[in-house]
């Protein structure tokens, strides 16, 4: 039977005590963590961000059936840019990445930008439903844990231009990055990577104009002891934004850059 997804976006819920950000869960005693989870299940029933069905104790944010049904979640992808490829692709790379290596080294994708995941991202990005970032974080953290080709040292998010950040009031990619870094115990920087200038919205440009629009748009402070940097973004389309951020990170000393994106346009 096909799963029945919620219409519209997820409703805002009270803060779940399992997700309080004051101290990472890995620093709490196991007995206290187990008790806290049990109490939270009783007082604040957790539901899937996509279908609104109750989550099991070992599920976070998105239930396993919904996760497994996401379009493209099990597809063979280019290890470099994350585009769907034939399972027999040479060295797991698409033709474009085989011909020319981008500035980034790996892309890890949760699923395609298609229903129902696209509605969740739109609700997060344009309606400010920030709890949805905490629904995406655990699934992305699991992907990073199992697919990263190098051990990550640091997590950053694609930064917004100051004017756009002031207008929106939050950076959705930073919210997702925070939800990724915490369960993995990885350091997260909100200031290391910055956008130097205002640029035209990528969605308004033709694909061949997107790279020029972002040329030298990002700067990164010198990196010390961070050989592998994970860059979190909500959606990857042409890869121009992540190419520009990887350029800045490599110029600052990063040895390996991994893109971690919630959705990839097919």
């Amino acid at each position: 039977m096909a799963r029945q997804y919620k219409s519209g976006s997820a409703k805002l819920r009270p803060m779940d005590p399992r997700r309080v950000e004051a101290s990472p869960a890995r620093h709490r005693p196991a007995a206290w963590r187990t008790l806290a989870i049990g109490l939270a299940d009783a007082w604040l029933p957790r539901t899937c961000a996509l279908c609104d069905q109750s989550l099991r104790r070992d599920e976070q944010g998105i239930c396993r059936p919904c996760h497994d049904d996401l379009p493209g979640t099990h597809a063979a992808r280019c290890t470099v840019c994350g585009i769907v490829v034939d399972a027999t692709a040479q060295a797991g790379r698409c033709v474009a990445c085989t011909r020319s290596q981008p500035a980034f080294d790996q892309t890890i994708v949760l699923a395609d930008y298609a229903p129902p995941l696209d509605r969740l991202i739109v609700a997060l990005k344009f309606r400010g439903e920030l709890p949805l970032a905490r629904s995406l974080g655990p699934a992305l953290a699991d992907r990073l844990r199992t697919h990263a080709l190098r051990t990550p040292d640091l997590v950053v998010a694609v930064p917004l231009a100051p004017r756009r950040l002031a207008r929106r009031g939050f950076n959705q990619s930073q919210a997702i990055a925070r939800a990724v870094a915490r369960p993995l115990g990885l350091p997260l920087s909100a200031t290391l990577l910055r956008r130097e200038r205002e640029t035209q919205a990528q969605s308004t440009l033709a694909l061949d104009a997107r790279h020029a629009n972002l040329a030298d748009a990002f700067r990164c402070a010198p990196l010390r002891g961070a050989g592998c940097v994970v860059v979190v973004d909500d959606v990857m389309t042409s890869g121009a934004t992540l190419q520009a951020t990887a350029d800045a990170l490599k110029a600052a000393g990063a040895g390996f850059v991994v893109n971690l994106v919630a959705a990839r346009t097919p």
Side-chain angles (χ1 to χ4, degrees):
M1 181 181 296
R3 298 191 65 76
Q4 298 297 312
Y5 296 110
K6 295 186 292 183
S7 59
S9 58
K11 54 185 179 292
L12 298 179
R13 303 185 183 89
M15 176 63 76
D16 188 329
R18 286 158 301 192
R19 295 175 176 172
V20 174
E21 297 183 359
S23 59
R26 64 192 180 97
H27 294 314
R28 298 175 191 147
W32 162 245
R33 187 164 64 249
T34 301
L35 176 60
I37 290 174
L39 291 174
D41 281 336
W43 294 342
L44 298 173
R46 301 180 305 147
T47 58
C48 173
L50 292 175
C51 71
D52 219 16
Q53 297 299 307
S54 296
L55 292 172
R56 299 184 310 184
R57 181 167 295 187
D58 61 343
E59 296 173 333
Q60 296 186 58
I62 299 173
C63 70
R64 178 55 55 184
C66 280
H67 177 276
D68 289 344
D69 285 345
L70 289 175
T73 192
H74 301 297
R77 294 183 181 274
C78 172
T79 57
V80 179
C81 73
I83 198 72
V84 173
V85 296
D86 187 277
T88 61
Q90 183 178 3
R93 291 189 173 209
C94 68
V95 173
C97 290
T98 299
R99 290 175 178 168
S100 178
Q101 171 71 40
F104 48 79
D105 301 281
Q106 185 183 6
T107 297
I108 299 172
V109 177
L110 179 60
D112 288 337
Y113 187 71
L117 185 60
D118 58 348
R119 295 196 294 270
L120 187 152
I121 292 174
V122 166
L124 166 63
K125 186 171 184 176
F126 297 110
R127 292 199 288 271
E129 299 193 21
L130 293 180
L132 295 178
R134 297 196 294 272
S135 297
L136 291 169
L140 283 167
D142 284 344
R143 283 295 172 95
L144 182 63
R145 185 184 293 111
T146 58
H147 289 83
L149 298 177
R150 300 281 182 87
T151 301
D153 297 305
L154 175 69
V155 177
V156 299
V158 172
L160 290 177
R163 189 179 303 170
R164 189 170 300 166
L165 179 60
R167 185 166 58 247
R168 186 175 295 173
F170 63 94
N171 179 350
Q172 73 282 351
S173 295
Q174 182 70 27
I176 298 172
R178 186 179 300 112
V180 168
R182 287 189 61 80
L184 297 176
L186 290 171
L188 169 70
S189 174
T191 59
L192 184 75
L193 185 65
R194 63 189 184 277
R195 191 181 290 252
E196 286 284 276
R197 60 181 176 84
E198 299 284 341
T199 57
Q200 190 172 345
Q202 291 287 89
S203 59
T204 66
L205 299 173
L207 293 180
D208 57 0
R210 296 187 178 194
H211 288 277
N213 182 51
L214 289 168
D216 299 320
F218 299 97
R219 289 289 183 273
C220 181
L223 289 165
R224 297 179 179 87
C228 178
V229 180
V230 178
V231 183
V232 177
D233 205 3
D234 55 347
V235 180
M236 182 177 182
T237 303
S238 69
T241 300
L242 290 163
Q243 170 76 11
T245 58
D247 278 333
L249 288 164
K250 289 289 182 73
F256 197 87
V257 175
V258 180
N259 302 324
L260 184 65
V261 296
R264 181 73 158 91
T265 55

